[in-house]
Amino acid sequence: MPPKASAAGGGGSTGSKTRVSDKVLTDFTSNLAVLQDAGLPIVRSLKILEGQTKVGPFKKTITGVYEDVESGNSLSEAMAKHPGVFDSLYTNMVKAGEAGGILDTILQRLAEFKEKSQRLKRKVQGAMFYPVVVTIVAAGLLGFIMVFVVPKFKQVYSTLTTPDG
């Protein structure tokens, strides 16, 4: 039988390139901020969030981060091993929070930043919807006119210019 990946599925040093939705990361960040604000140790907070996360790539990432932190790495170092999930801004903000002893505040600010970013993205997508629909309808109408209407006019004009004998 071939060797299997760890039962947790993540491993700490896999160098994960997994992508997760902004909503999932925002919820995780917000929940982690609440747990840190309540005074729980970071390892316990990560274990709680790992248990609440649905099975999938993000759960594997959280498991990897948990295992790294439990083995002695800082949270920012553990998160930096998963660049597809935690970008450099995120990990550097966490690192600054750890250094300053205000990790809960930094995580809350990150969650707020992510929420505002999501709202802005939805607004831009909503604003782009109408022009895209109008352009598609206009192109469809132009295509219809060129394929069906112009040939009819051509037939009518060709009968007008030919002499009857």
Side-chain angles (χ1 to χ4, degrees):
M1 222 167 123
K4 288 187 175 183
S6 70
S13 58
T14 58
S16 170
K17 296 284 184 187
T18 304
R19 289 286 305 148
V20 297
S21 73
D22 288 338
K23 181 173 180 8
V24 169
L25 186 58
T26 302
D27 290 345
F28 167 79
T29 306
S30 182
N31 291 337
L32 186 58
V34 168
L35 292 171
Q36 287 300 286
D37 192 39
L40 274 90
I42 190 67
V43 175
R44 179 75 180 129
S45 299
L46 289 170
K47 189 65 176 172
I48 290 169
L49 293 175
E50 177 193 20
Q52 293 176 350
T53 305
K54 294 179 185 174
V55 175
F58 190 60
K59 185 172 184 92
K60 291 178 182 178
T61 300
I62 299 307
T63 301
V65 170
Y66 165 76
E67 289 172 355
D68 280 347
V69 171
E70 190 176 43
S71 68
N73 290 331
S74 69
L75 180 62
S76 59
E77 290 170 343
M79 288 178 166
K81 292 181 180 179
H82 305 277
V85 177
F86 306 106
D87 60 14
S88 60
L89 171 67
Y90 194 102
T91 55
N92 287 328
M93 291 291 289
V94 169
K95 190 175 191 175
E98 290 170 330
I102 53 169
L103 184 59
D104 57 334
T105 305
I106 294 296
L107 288 169
Q108 188 58 43
R109 287 183 185 166
L110 270 170
E112 289 169 6
F113 170 75
K114 293 269 184 205
E115 287 169 3
K116 287 178 184 178
S117 176
Q118 284 178 320
R119 277 196 300 270
L120 180 61
K121 187 175 181 181
R122 281 194 302 270
K123 282 182 182 180
V124 168
Q125 287 173 340
M128 291 304 296
F129 179 75
Y130 180 73
V132 167
V133 169
V134 168
T135 302
I136 290 171
V137 169
L141 285 173
L142 184 62
F144 176 78
I145 290 170
M146 295 304 285
V147 171
F148 295 106
V149 177
V150 170
K152 296 287 184 194
F153 276 110
K154 182 180 177 188
Q155 288 175 353
V156 169
Y157 286 130
S158 66
T159 59
L160 291 176
T161 58
T162 57
D164 285 353

